[in-house]
């Protein structure tokens, strides 16, 4: 199973926590934001652990400012020049109000920042709040994936598709922290899977780890629940570890839960849970 820490680059505290997990080899993938001014230093700090993990681009299209120059009529930003909040962004994608050209320019700009610092394409692409599989965005991602794959055959796209059937059979909704909202993402994920397969683009199997963030105190139980589903090598368990700081409070709604996730992943109990389940950590194969 691949264990991926999301939101690297979001804040110094988040970065610190993820770098600790990298050094201790508790995770096998990191998904990186590149929209903030600290991007170059943030990515440079990941270099020492580069050989032991997949490093991907975490495309951001909700909240924050775009990297590219985006005209207001394109639908990608509000009157203040900031990305829309998630509900408005989803509405724009579903109704076709989002400019394909603006989406392509912005995602490419975020990718170019990554390549400029790391000197190579990312190992994978995914999206903050799973935006990579929304209408419009997914077309841009597939277009880029085709280009990247020619230079980097091992490249893959993260698919946000939870194992809905197994979750129900194992006791949904009694398991801690699971709710229908977590599973709604499966709807665009199914069509995105078909599009990736038709394009010959590699992707993960299931995406594990969905939970209500306010229930992060139950994170060890949530982890054990997903391990009980017997994940395969290319299933991804995504998580949001980190320390809390002012930048995090200003930039994201998921705040206090991060320190609890970090504590779990650094604990001996995490390794015990892996051993007991027979699940081994791996990179994408």
């Amino acid at each position: 199973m691949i264990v991926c820490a999301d939101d690297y680059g979001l804040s110094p505290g988040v970065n610190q926590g993820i770098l600790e997990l990298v050094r201790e080899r508790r995770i096998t993938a990191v998904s990186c934001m590149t929209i903030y001014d600290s991007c170059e230093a943030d990515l440079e700090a990941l270099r020492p652990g580069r050989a032991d993990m997949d490093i991907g681009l975490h495309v951001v299209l909700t909240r924050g400012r775009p990297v590219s120059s985006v005209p207001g009529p394109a639908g990608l930003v509000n009157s203040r020049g900031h990305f829309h909040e998630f509900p408005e962004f989803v509405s724009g994608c579903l109704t076709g109000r989002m400019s394909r050209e603006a989406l392509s320019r912005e995602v490419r700009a975020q990718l170019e920042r990554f390549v400029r610092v790391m000197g190579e394409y990312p190992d994978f692409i995914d999206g903050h709040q799973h935006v990579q599989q929304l209408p419009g965005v997914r077309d841009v991602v597939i277009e880029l994936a085709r280009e990247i794959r020619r230079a980097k055959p091992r490249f893959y796209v993260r698919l946000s598709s939870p194992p809905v059937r197994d979750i129900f059979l194992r006791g949904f909704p009694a398991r801690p922290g699971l709710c229908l909202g977590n599973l709604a993402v499966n709807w665009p994920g199914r069509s995105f899977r078909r599009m990736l397969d038709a394009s010959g683009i590699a992707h993960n199997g299931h995406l594990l780890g969905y939970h209500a963030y306010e229930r992060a105190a139950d994170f060890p139980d949530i982890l054990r629940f997903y391990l009980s589903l017997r994940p395969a090598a290319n299933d991804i368990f995504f998580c949001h570890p980190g320390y809390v700081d002012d930048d995090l409070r200003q930039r994201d709604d998921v705040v206090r839960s991060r320190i609890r996730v970090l504590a779990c992943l650094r604990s001996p109990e995490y390794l015990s849970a892996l051993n007991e389940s027979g699940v081994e950590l791996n990179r994408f194969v």
Side-chain angles (χ1 to χ4, degrees):
M1 178 180 76
I2 301 162
V3 176
C4 183
D6 282 6
D7 296 352
Y8 184 81
L10 179 60
S11 79
V14 169
N15 294 352
Q16 179 185 343
I18 292 175
L19 287 172
E20 290 174 359
L21 295 172
V22 169
R23 288 191 291 267
E24 296 168 14
R25 298 189 176 186
R26 299 300 180 95
I27 56 178
T28 50
V30 177
S31 193
C32 306
M33 296 178 168
T34 63
I35 68 167
Y36 297 108
D37 293 338
S38 60
C39 166
E40 182 171 349
D42 296 342
L43 290 175
E44 286 288 353
L46 273 177
R47 284 189 181 278
R50 179 70 185 92
D52 298 319
M53 76 188 74
D54 292 340
I55 299 180
L57 174 65
H58 200 50
V59 173
V60 180
L61 296 171
T62 57
R63 195 176 288 190
R65 287 184 176 274
V67 174
S68 62
S69 176
V70 180
L76 193 58
V77 296
N78 60 25
S79 59
R80 297 182 295 118
H82 289 78
F83 289 131
H84 296 289
E85 295 292 325
F86 183 69
E88 289 78 17
F89 181 78
V90 173
S91 175
C93 288
L94 296 180
T95 58
R97 297 195 309 270
M98 207 67 65
S99 163
R100 165 73 181 274
E101 181 182 352
L103 285 170
S104 180
R105 187 186 305 118
E106 177 58 24
V107 176
R108 285 181 179 275
Q110 294 181 30
L111 174 64
E112 287 167 4
R113 275 193 169 188
F114 183 101
V115 173
R116 186 166 60 249
V117 178
M118 300 301 285
E120 62 177 320
Y121 285 118
D123 294 314
F124 64 92
I125 287 179
D126 62 25
H128 189 49
Q129 297 183 304
H130 313 296
V131 297
Q132 78 274 20
Q133 56 192 35
L134 290 173
V137 185
R138 62 192 181 192
D139 300 305
V140 171
V141 168
I142 288 176
E143 180 182 280
L144 283 176
R146 287 178 177 144
E147 297 175 15
I148 294 171
R149 207 169 44 125
R150 288 194 285 269
K152 192 167 194 171
R154 189 179 167 276
F155 173 83
Y156 62 101
V157 172
R158 191 167 92 184
L159 179 69
S160 301
S161 180
V164 176
R165 179 177 177 275
D166 290 342
I167 288 173
F168 272 86
L169 290 177
R170 290 277 180 161
F172 177 90
R175 301 297 180 180
L178 294 174
C179 63
L180 283 172
N182 299 142
L183 305 182
V185 71
N186 190 57
W187 169 65
R190 295 175 68 181
S191 55
F192 191 40
R193 182 189 297 272
R194 290 193 294 269
M195 294 171 68
L196 291 171
D197 288 340
S199 299
I201 298 168
H203 58 79
N204 58 297
H206 290 300
L207 187 65
L208 314 172
Y210 297 93
H211 66 279
Y213 297 122
E214 66 271 14
R215 297 288 301 278
D218 299 322
F219 189 77
D221 293 326
I222 292 166
L223 171 66
R224 288 181 182 276
F225 168 68
Y226 282 109
L227 290 175
S228 76
L229 302 183
R230 304 186 65 81
N234 279 344
D235 288 342
I236 297 175
F237 181 89
F238 78 112
C239 54
H240 301 86
Y243 294 103
V244 176
D245 57 28
D246 289 339
D247 283 348
L248 174 60
R249 292 187 185 94
Q250 294 171 10
R251 294 172 177 174
D252 203 72
D253 294 329
V254 181
V255 178
R256 290 182 298 173
S257 63
R258 294 180 189 263
I259 190 68
R260 298 187 181 115
V261 173
L262 177 62
C264 174
L265 295 180
R266 297 192 69 196
S267 70
E269 288 73 24
Y270 169 56
L271 300 181
S272 297
L274 290 172
N275 289 333
E276 291 167 9
S277 66
V279 174
E280 296 182 357
L281 299 185
N282 60 271
R283 298 175 62 182
F284 190 83
V285 293

mmCIF file with all atom_site columns, all heavy atoms in Angstrom, residues 71-85:
data_model
loop_
_atom_site.group_PDB
_atom_site.id
_atom_site.type_symbol
_atom_site.label_atom_id
_atom_site.label_alt_id
_atom_site.label_comp_id
_atom_site.label_asym_id
_atom_site.label_entity_id
_atom_site.label_seq_id
_atom_site.pdbx_PDB_ins_code
_atom_site.Cartn_x
_atom_site.Cartn_y
_atom_site.Cartn_z
_atom_site.occupancy
_atom_site.B_iso_or_equiv
_atom_site.pdbx_formal_charge
_atom_site.auth_seq_id
_atom_site.auth_comp_id
_atom_site.auth_asym_id
_atom_site.auth_atom_id
_atom_site.pdbx_PDB_model_num
ATOM 1   N N   . PRO A 1 71 ? -7.765  35.936 -16.294 1.00 0.00 ? 71 PRO A N   1
ATOM 2   C CA  . PRO A 1 71 ? -8.777  36.997 -16.433 1.00 0.00 ? 71 PRO A CA  1
ATOM 3   C C   . PRO A 1 71 ? -10.048 36.639 -15.679 1.00 0.00 ? 71 PRO A C   1
ATOM 4   O O   . PRO A 1 71 ? -10.430 35.466 -15.610 1.00 0.00 ? 71 PRO A O   1
ATOM 5   C CB  . PRO A 1 71 ? -9.021  37.046 -17.943 1.00 0.00 ? 71 PRO A CB  1
ATOM 6   C CG  . PRO A 1 71 ? -8.664  35.678 -18.443 1.00 0.00 ? 71 PRO A CG  1
ATOM 7   C CD  . PRO A 1 71 ? -7.530  35.217 -17.560 1.00 0.00 ? 71 PRO A CD  1
ATOM 8   N N   . GLY A 1 72 ? -10.707 37.638 -15.118 1.00 0.00 ? 72 GLY A N   1
ATOM 9   C CA  . GLY A 1 72 ? -11.923 37.417 -14.349 1.00 0.00 ? 72 GLY A CA  1
ATOM 10  C C   . GLY A 1 72 ? -12.997 36.648 -15.080 1.00 0.00 ? 72 GLY A C   1
ATOM 11  O O   . GLY A 1 72 ? -13.610 35.730 -14.521 1.00 0.00 ? 72 GLY A O   1
ATOM 12  N N   . PRO A 1 73 ? -13.264 36.972 -16.367 1.00 0.00 ? 73 PRO A N   1
ATOM 13  C CA  . PRO A 1 73 ? -14.327 36.260 -17.090 1.00 0.00 ? 73 PRO A CA  1
ATOM 14  C C   . PRO A 1 73 ? -14.076 34.761 -17.279 1.00 0.00 ? 73 PRO A C   1
ATOM 15  O O   . PRO A 1 73 ? -14.977 34.033 -17.678 1.00 0.00 ? 73 PRO A O   1
ATOM 16  C CB  . PRO A 1 73 ? -14.350 36.981 -18.445 1.00 0.00 ? 73 PRO A CB  1
ATOM 17  C CG  . PRO A 1 73 ? -13.768 38.325 -18.181 1.00 0.00 ? 73 PRO A CG  1
ATOM 18  C CD  . PRO A 1 73 ? -12.718 38.100 -17.132 1.00 0.00 ? 73 PRO A CD  1
ATOM 19  N N   . ALA A 1 74 ? -12.855 34.285 -17.007 1.00 0.00 ? 74 ALA A N   1
ATOM 20  C CA  . ALA A 1 74 ? -12.555 32.866 -17.198 1.00 0.00 ? 74 ALA A CA  1
ATOM 21  C C   . ALA A 1 74 ? -13.282 31.986 -16.193 1.00 0.00 ? 74 ALA A C   1
ATOM 22  O O   . ALA A 1 74 ? -13.382 30.782 -16.372 1.00 0.00 ? 74 ALA A O   1
ATOM 23  C CB  . ALA A 1 74 ? -11.042 32.627 -17.106 1.00 0.00 ? 74 ALA A CB  1
ATOM 24  N N   . GLY A 1 75 ? -13.773 32.578 -15.099 1.00 0.00 ? 75 GLY A N   1
ATOM 25  C CA  . GLY A 1 75 ? -14.532 31.820 -14.117 1.00 0.00 ? 75 GLY A CA  1
ATOM 26  C C   . GLY A 1 75 ? -13.705 31.134 -13.061 1.00 0.00 ? 75 GLY A C   1
ATOM 27  O O   . GLY A 1 75 ? -14.242 30.508 -12.153 1.00 0.00 ? 75 GLY A O   1
ATOM 28  N N   . LEU A 1 76 ? -12.377 31.242 -13.149 1.00 0.00 ? 76 LEU A N   1
ATOM 29  C CA  . LEU A 1 76 ? -11.506 30.520 -12.232 1.00 0.00 ? 76 LEU A CA  1
ATOM 30  C C   . LEU A 1 76 ? -11.276 31.268 -10.928 1.00 0.00 ? 76 LEU A C   1
ATOM 31  O O   . LEU A 1 76 ? -10.927 30.665 -9.915  1.00 0.00 ? 76 LEU A O   1
ATOM 32  C CB  . LEU A 1 76 ? -10.164 30.238 -12.928 1.00 0.00 ? 76 LEU A CB  1
ATOM 33  C CG  . LEU A 1 76 ? -9.212  29.241 -12.277 1.00 0.00 ? 76 LEU A CG  1
ATOM 34  C CD1 . LEU A 1 76 ? -9.881  27.885 -12.098 1.00 0.00 ? 76 LEU A CD1 1
ATOM 35  C CD2 . LEU A 1 76 ? -7.946  29.093 -13.130 1.00 0.00 ? 76 LEU A CD2 1
ATOM 36  N N   . VAL A 1 77 ? -11.457 32.585 -10.942 1.00 0.00 ? 77 VAL A N   1
ATOM 37  C CA  . VAL A 1 77 ? -11.206 33.400 -9.752  1.00 0.00 ? 77 VAL A CA  1
ATOM 38  C C   . VAL A 1 77 ? -12.399 34.300 -9.457  1.00 0.00 ? 77 VAL A C   1
ATOM 39  O O   . VAL A 1 77 ? -13.229 34.575 -10.326 1.00 0.00 ? 77 VAL A O   1
ATOM 40  C CB  . VAL A 1 77 ? -9.934  34.268 -9.917  1.00 0.00 ? 77 VAL A CB  1
ATOM 41  C CG1 . VAL A 1 77 ? -8.703  33.374 -10.054 1.00 0.00 ? 77 VAL A CG1 1
ATOM 42  C CG2 . VAL A 1 77 ? -10.051 35.193 -11.121 1.00 0.00 ? 77 VAL A CG2 1
ATOM 43  N N   . ASN A 1 78 ? -12.445 34.777 -8.199  1.00 0.00 ? 78 ASN A N   1
ATOM 44  C CA  . ASN A 1 78 ? -13.506 35.701 -7.808  1.00 0.00 ? 78 ASN A CA  1
ATOM 45  C C   . ASN A 1 78 ? -13.079 37.144 -8.052  1.00 0.00 ? 78 ASN A C   1
ATOM 46  O O   . ASN A 1 78 ? -12.022 37.400 -8.649  1.00 0.00 ? 78 ASN A O   1
ATOM 47  C CB  . ASN A 1 78 ? -13.903 35.466 -6.345  1.00 0.00 ? 78 ASN A CB  1
ATOM 48  C CG  . ASN A 1 78 ? -12.735 35.665 -5.391  1.00 0.00 ? 78 ASN A CG  1
ATOM 49  O OD1 . ASN A 1 78 ? -11.768 36.381 -5.679  1.00 0.00 ? 78 ASN A OD1 1
ATOM 50  N ND2 . ASN A 1 78 ? -12.805 35.014 -4.225  1.00 0.00 ? 78 ASN A ND2 1
ATOM 51  N N   . SER A 1 79 ? -13.856 38.083 -7.572  1.00 0.00 ? 79 SER A N   1
ATOM 52  C CA  . SER A 1 79 ? -13.581 39.501 -7.824  1.00 0.00 ? 79 SER A CA  1
ATOM 53  C C   . SER A 1 79 ? -12.289 39.975 -7.171  1.00 0.00 ? 79 SER A C   1
ATOM 54  O O   . SER A 1 79 ? -11.725 40.996 -7.557  1.00 0.00 ? 79 SER A O   1
ATOM 55  C CB  . SER A 1 79 ? -14.756 40.353 -7.329  1.00 0.00 ? 79 SER A CB  1
ATOM 56  O OG  . SER A 1 79 ? -14.965 40.146 -5.931  1.00 0.00 ? 79 SER A OG  1
ATOM 57  N N   . ARG A 1 80 ? -11.780 39.234 -6.172  1.00 0.00 ? 80 ARG A N   1
ATOM 58  C CA  . ARG A 1 80 ? -10.530 39.601 -5.505  1.00 0.00 ? 80 ARG A CA  1
ATOM 59  C C   . ARG A 1 80 ? -9.319  38.912 -6.119  1.00 0.00 ? 80 ARG A C   1
ATOM 60  O O   . ARG A 1 80 ? -8.196  39.076 -5.638  1.00 0.00 ? 80 ARG A O   1
ATOM 61  C CB  . ARG A 1 80 ? -10.631 39.255 -4.011  1.00 0.00 ? 80 ARG A CB  1
ATOM 62  C CG  . ARG A 1 80 ? -11.711 40.029 -3.267  1.00 0.00 ? 80 ARG A CG  1
ATOM 63  C CD  . ARG A 1 80 ? -11.732 39.684 -1.784  1.00 0.00 ? 80 ARG A CD  1
ATOM 64  N NE  . ARG A 1 80 ? -12.108 38.292 -1.568  1.00 0.00 ? 80 ARG A NE  1
ATOM 65  C CZ  . ARG A 1 80 ? -11.331 37.383 -1.004  1.00 0.00 ? 80 ARG A CZ  1
ATOM 66  N NH1 . ARG A 1 80 ? -10.106 37.690 -0.610  1.00 0.00 ? 80 ARG A NH1 1
ATOM 67  N NH2 . ARG A 1 80 ? -11.757 36.147 -0.830  1.00 0.00 ? 80 ARG A NH2 1
ATOM 68  N N   . GLY A 1 81 ? -9.550  38.125 -7.170  1.00 0.00 ? 81 GLY A N   1
ATOM 69  C CA  . GLY A 1 81 ? -8.446  37.428 -7.806  1.00 0.00 ? 81 GLY A CA  1
ATOM 70  C C   . GLY A 1 81 ? -8.040  36.155 -7.114  1.00 0.00 ? 81 GLY A C   1
ATOM 71  O O   . GLY A 1 81 ? -6.986  35.588 -7.408  1.00 0.00 ? 81 GLY A O   1
ATOM 72  N N   . HIS A 1 82 ? -8.867  35.656 -6.185  1.00 0.00 ? 82 HIS A N   1
ATOM 73  C CA  . HIS A 1 82 ? -8.601  34.399 -5.495  1.00 0.00 ? 82 HIS A CA  1
ATOM 74  C C   . HIS A 1 82 ? -9.409  33.273 -6.138  1.00 0.00 ? 82 HIS A C   1
ATOM 75  O O   . HIS A 1 82 ? -10.470 33.508 -6.732  1.00 0.00 ? 82 HIS A O   1
ATOM 76  C CB  . HIS A 1 82 ? -9.003  34.494 -4.016  1.00 0.00 ? 82 HIS A CB  1
ATOM 77  C CG  . HIS A 1 82 ? -8.113  35.366 -3.202  1.00 0.00 ? 82 HIS A CG  1
ATOM 78  N ND1 . HIS A 1 82 ? -8.190  36.743 -3.232  1.00 0.00 ? 82 HIS A ND1 1
ATOM 79  C CD2 . HIS A 1 82 ? -7.121  35.071 -2.319  1.00 0.00 ? 82 HIS A CD2 1
ATOM 80  C CE1 . HIS A 1 82 ? -7.286  37.253 -2.405  1.00 0.00 ? 82 HIS A CE1 1
ATOM 81  N NE2 . HIS A 1 82 ? -6.628  36.261 -1.848  1.00 0.00 ? 82 HIS A NE2 1
ATOM 82  N N   . PHE A 1 83 ? -8.898  32.051 -5.995  1.00 0.00 ? 83 PHE A N   1
ATOM 83  C CA  . PHE A 1 83 ? -9.700  30.902 -6.412  1.00 0.00 ? 83 PHE A CA  1
ATOM 84  C C   . PHE A 1 83 ? -11.013 30.890 -5.635  1.00 0.00 ? 83 PHE A C   1
ATOM 85  O O   . PHE A 1 83 ? -11.098 31.365 -4.498  1.00 0.00 ? 83 PHE A O   1
ATOM 86  C CB  . PHE A 1 83 ? -8.961  29.590 -6.101  1.00 0.00 ? 83 PHE A CB  1
ATOM 87  C CG  . PHE A 1 83 ? -7.767  29.320 -6.962  1.00 0.00 ? 83 PHE A CG  1
ATOM 88  C CD1 . PHE A 1 83 ? -6.552  28.965 -6.385  1.00 0.00 ? 83 PHE A CD1 1
ATOM 89  C CD2 . PHE A 1 83 ? -7.837  29.386 -8.344  1.00 0.00 ? 83 PHE A CD2 1
ATOM 90  C CE1 . PHE A 1 83 ? -5.438  28.689 -7.163  1.00 0.00 ? 83 PHE A CE1 1
ATOM 91  C CE2 . PHE A 1 83 ? -6.725  29.114 -9.142  1.00 0.00 ? 83 PHE A CE2 1
ATOM 92  C CZ  . PHE A 1 83 ? -5.526  28.771 -8.545  1.00 0.00 ? 83 PHE A CZ  1
ATOM 93  N N   . HIS A 1 84 ? -12.027 30.315 -6.225  1.00 0.00 ? 84 HIS A N   1
ATOM 94  C CA  . HIS A 1 84 ? -13.309 30.150 -5.549  1.00 0.00 ? 84 HIS A CA  1
ATOM 95  C C   . HIS A 1 84 ? -13.193 29.097 -4.444  1.00 0.00 ? 84 HIS A C   1
ATOM 96  O O   . HIS A 1 84 ? -12.287 28.264 -4.445  1.00 0.00 ? 84 HIS A O   1
ATOM 97  C CB  . HIS A 1 84 ? -14.386 29.710 -6.541  1.00 0.00 ? 84 HIS A CB  1
ATOM 98  C CG  . HIS A 1 84 ? -14.680 30.711 -7.604  1.00 0.00 ? 84 HIS A CG  1
ATOM 99  N ND1 . HIS A 1 84 ? -15.333 31.893 -7.362  1.00 0.00 ? 84 HIS A ND1 1
ATOM 100 C CD2 . HIS A 1 84 ? -14.397 30.697 -8.939  1.00 0.00 ? 84 HIS A CD2 1
ATOM 101 C CE1 . HIS A 1 84 ? -15.458 32.577 -8.488  1.00 0.00 ? 84 HIS A CE1 1
ATOM 102 N NE2 . HIS A 1 84 ? -14.895 31.876 -9.458  1.00 0.00 ? 84 HIS A NE2 1
ATOM 103 N N   . GLU A 1 85 ? -14.132 29.151 -3.513  1.00 0.00 ? 85 GLU A N   1
ATOM 104 C CA  . GLU A 1 85 ? -14.253 28.064 -2.537  1.00 0.00 ? 85 GLU A CA  1
ATOM 105 C C   . GLU A 1 85 ? -14.760 26.817 -3.269  1.00 0.00 ? 85 GLU A C   1
ATOM 106 O O   . GLU A 1 85 ? -15.295 26.885 -4.380  1.00 0.00 ? 85 GLU A O   1
ATOM 107 C CB  . GLU A 1 85 ? -15.225 28.457 -1.421  1.00 0.00 ? 85 GLU A CB  1
ATOM 108 C CG  . GLU A 1 85 ? -14.758 29.626 -0.568  1.00 0.00 ? 85 GLU A CG  1
ATOM 109 C CD  . GLU A 1 85 ? -13.532 29.278 0.279   1.00 0.00 ? 85 GLU A CD  1
ATOM 110 O OE1 . GLU A 1 85 ? -13.434 28.111 0.729   1.00 0.00 ? 85 GLU A OE1 1
ATOM 111 O OE2 . GLU A 1 85 ? -12.686 30.165 0.478   1.00 0.00 ? 85 GLU A OE2 1
#
